[in-house]
Amino acid sequence: MIFVLYIVGLASQTVIPMLTIGILNDTGKFIINFHIFPRNENVNLIPFHTLYQYLFQANTNVDNWDQVSILNIFANMLLFSPMGFLVPLIWKKWDSFKKIFFLGLAITCLIEIVQLFIGRSTDIDDVILNTFGMIIGYAIFFIVKKVYLKTNNLSQSQSF
C-alpha cells in the first residue's frame, strides 16, 4: 500500500499534466486549463548543464537562487530514493544494483519523454539526479538488509 501511495505521489509530481486554476484579472472569468501539448521551451539535452547553472551561476530573478538550486537538486534525488528502497523490498528479483540502476534510468527517461508532451520541462540532468536517487535508495536498502541479516543471524545463533 505504501508503494502504491508513493507511485501516485510520484506521478502527481512528474507526469500529470500541469493544471492552471484561477481567475483572470482582466475579465474576472474563472478558468481551469490543462496544459497538454504546449510549446515547451524548457528542454535541456546537455548533461550537467542545468546542474552547472544551479551550482555556479546566479539568477537575478530569484533572490535566494542558491537555496532554490540546492532544493531542486536534492528533491530530484530524494523523490526517487523510495523507489530504490521499495522495489527490491517488494520484489526479491530486483535486489541487484545493476537492475535498480537500469530500472531507474528507464523510468526517469520515460518520465522525461512524457514531460515533453504535457507542458513540463524536460532535462537530462533530472534523469541523472533521479537515477542517482534510486541508487541512494537501493544503497539504504542494501545496508538495512545487511544489518538485519547480521542481527538476525546473531539472535538465531544465541538462541541455541
Side-chain angles (χ1 to χ4, degrees), residues 1-157:
M1 186 60 157
I2 291 171
F3 184 72
V4 171
L5 292 173
Y6 165 73
I7 293 298
V8 169
L10 181 66
S12 76
Q13 298 302 306
T14 58
V15 294
I16 294 175
M18 292 179 72
L19 173 67
T20 303
I21 300 175
I23 298 174
L24 295 176
N25 288 338
D26 54 345
T27 63
K29 182 179 175 185
F30 180 75
I31 61 161
I32 297 176
N33 187 13
F34 282 99
H35 300 278
I36 300 176
F37 302 111
R39 183 174 162 200
N40 194 339
E41 297 175 2
N42 297 325
V43 176
N44 172 40
L45 299 177
I46 303 168
F48 304 106
H49 178 71
T50 304
L51 289 173
Y52 178 82
Q53 287 180 324
Y54 283 163
L55 297 173
F56 302 111
Q57 293 180 346
N59 183 337
T60 57
N61 299 321
V62 179
D63 291 337
N64 56 349
W65 179 247
D66 56 337
Q67 293 171 357
V68 171
S69 301
I70 298 300
L71 176 65
N72 194 12
I73 290 169
F74 283 106
N76 269 301
M77 287 189 296
L78 294 175
L79 187 63
F80 281 80
S81 294
M83 188 177 298
F85 183 87
L86 293 172
V87 167
L89 182 66
I90 296 169
W91 296 284
K92 301 298 181 210
K93 71 179 185 174
W94 287 94
D95 185 1
S96 157
F97 174 83
K98 185 177 174 181
K99 288 180 180 180
I100 290 297
F101 172 79
F102 284 112
L103 179 67
L105 186 62
I107 289 172
T108 57
C109 284
L110 177 66
I111 287 170
E112 293 301 316
I113 289 168
V114 168
Q115 287 179 345
L116 274 171
F117 302 104
I118 62 169
R120 293 183 181 256
S121 65
T122 299
D123 195 330
I124 191 69
D125 290 347
D126 287 351
V127 172
I128 294 166
L129 292 170
N130 296 160
T131 303
F132 187 66
M134 283 204 45
I135 292 168
I136 291 170
Y138 181 74
I140 294 168
F141 168 80
F142 185 79
I143 292 167
V144 168
K145 182 176 94 170
K146 291 297 180 189
V147 168
Y148 173 77
L149 289 176
K150 186 176 181 178
T151 58
N152 196 23
N153 286 339
L154 285 175
S155 65
Q156 285 181 356
S157 66

